Amino acid sequence: MRAAVPIERHSLLSDRRAFALVTPDADVTWLCQPAPDSPALFASLLGGDGHFSVRPQRNQLPLGQQYAPGTMSVRTRWTGLQVTDSLSGGLVRSVEGRVPAVVEFAPRPDFGQNVVQLEPVPDGLRVAGTPIELRSPGVDWRISGGTATAVLTPPVVLELRWGAPPSTEDWRR
């Protein structure tokens, strides 16, 4: 088990309806959805279960992390890899670069109170018994014990959704 990252080292993502916390090495350790007072989907920040990480396949430290100008989107950079995280009707993780990335998706709805089962669906994964889906076209997932892992060749966009997709009107606001 990894050591906890101090809260002051986390970056905050927000879309004014929800928020998430991301470590300096692009691990989403806190996310409550669909609202800030909803049960957590990722709660490893508090020593619980659940996280969503992206990192280079070759182990290396990140070069830095910064907010995209004028946004609540966060960019994490390594040599040859960049992950941009934002909340926009869902958690969107854009993976770009020239080196392979390893992704680990370990959702734990309701603060990990229930056993998680991930189901492959066209273009992604679904958390069984919930409205939660991870859209990940072209990604080949390995599922084991409620955790999915994959090695990606960028560019890839991972989009975590809950409930029905936003309507056209939601995109215009």
Side-chain angles (χ1 to χ4, degrees):
M1 184 172 191
R2 292 175 18 175
V5 175
I7 187 75
E8 66 271 12
R9 302 235 14 245
H10 284 74
S11 294
L12 174 71
L13 305 177
S14 179
D15 65 358
R16 296 187 296 178
R17 289 180 292 220
F19 71 90
L21 294 172
V22 182
T23 65
D25 59 352
D27 192 1
V28 178
T29 61
W30 183 260
L31 174 66
C32 294
Q33 280 305 96
D37 61 348
S38 299
L41 179 62
F42 305 122
S44 61
L45 171 72
L46 300 178
D49 289 328
H51 71 277
F52 188 4
S53 63
V54 180
R55 66 184 190 284
Q57 187 176 25
R58 290 182 143 204
N59 196 15
Q60 58 179 293
L61 293 174
L63 297 173
Q65 187 176 67
Q66 65 185 39
Y67 286 97
T71 73
M72 292 293 292
S73 297
V74 173
R75 292 184 186 135
T76 307
R77 293 180 306 109
W78 295 265
T79 300
L81 187 69
Q82 176 175 287
V83 177
T84 303
D85 292 312
S86 64
L87 284 176
S88 179
L91 175 63
V92 179
R93 309 198 80 186
S94 178
V95 183
E96 300 171 307
R98 61 184 190 281
V99 301
V102 175
V103 178
E104 188 171 272
F105 178 63
R108 299 298 183 262
D110 273 339
F111 295 96
Q113 296 296 312
N114 303 308
V115 175
V116 173
Q117 182 177 346
L118 299 175
E119 304 170 336
V121 295
D123 291 332
L125 299 169
R126 174 180 297 128
V127 180
T130 75
I132 300 166
E133 281 194 20
L134 177 61
R135 288 203 25 84
S136 53
V139 175
D140 183 25
W141 294 100
R142 278 183 308 140
I143 300 171
S144 175
T147 298
T149 56
V151 176
L152 313 176
T153 301
V156 174
V157 175
L158 305 168
E159 184 180 357
L160 184 60
R161 298 178 178 177
W162 35 90
S167 70
T168 312
E169 260 107 67
D170 289 339
W171 292 104
R172 291 187 201 147
R173 288 185 208 161

